[in-house]
């Protein structure tokens, strides 16, 4: 399954109809998770490895365009759009 398929399945299982993303994902988009909010669900998703492929893996077919093509599963917590606020609003509230 791809990450998109995993998220569609999890959203359906938890009756989530809003956009979801991880804490870091919302931060990259310019949002902050509201204080005290808990993840609507946690699930395992695929994450690309930052480690370069080893030379000893030359028996495998390599993707010359992407030397970091290895993937592994990580547990991630997801928050909905109603659980976040723009970072500017969060800064004003904390002042």
């Amino acid at each position: 399954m791809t990450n998109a398929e995993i998220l569609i399945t999890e959203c359906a299982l938890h009756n989530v109809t809003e956009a979801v993303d991880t804490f870091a994902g919302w931060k990259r988009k310019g949002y902050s998770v509201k204080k005290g909010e808990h993840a609507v669900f946690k699930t395992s998703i695929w994450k690309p490895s930052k480690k370069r492929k080893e030379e000893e893996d030359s028996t495998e077919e390599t993707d010359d365009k992407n030397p970091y093509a290895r993937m592994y599963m990580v547990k991630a917590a997801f928050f909905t759009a109603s659980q976040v606020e723009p970072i500017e609003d969060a800064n004003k509230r904390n002042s």
Side-chain angles (χ1 to χ4, degrees):
M1 284 177 100
T2 65
N3 283 344
E5 293 170 333
I6 293 169
L7 291 180
I8 289 169
T9 302
E10 289 293 330
C11 286
L13 288 172
H14 293 91
N15 296 321
V16 176
T17 57
E18 299 178 74
V20 295
D21 209 340
T22 61
F23 183 91
W26 284 117
K27 190 172 180 181
R28 279 191 303 272
K29 294 175 183 176
Y31 292 89
S32 174
V33 175
K34 295 175 186 174
K35 187 174 182 173
E37 293 289 344
H38 295 277
V40 290
F41 62 85
K42 294 180 183 179
T43 189
S44 294
I45 58 171
W46 292 104
K47 182 175 180 180
S49 174
K50 292 183 180 179
K51 187 175 180 182
R52 289 183 64 87
K53 284 189 173 183
E54 305 294 334
E55 293 297 327
E56 61 198 42
D57 289 343
S58 60
T59 58
E60 297 178 19
E61 288 186 29
T62 57
D63 182 2
D64 294 330
K65 295 178 184 176
N66 187 1
Y68 305 98
R70 291 187 181 195
M71 303 289 279
Y72 61 100
M73 296 291 281
V74 295
K75 194 79 160 181
F78 287 86
F79 299 87
T80 63
S82 63
Q83 294 179 291
V84 297
E85 61 189 359
I87 289 177
E88 299 85 34
D89 292 349
N91 291 336
K92 288 178 186 176
R93 189 177 47 131
N94 292 333
S95 296

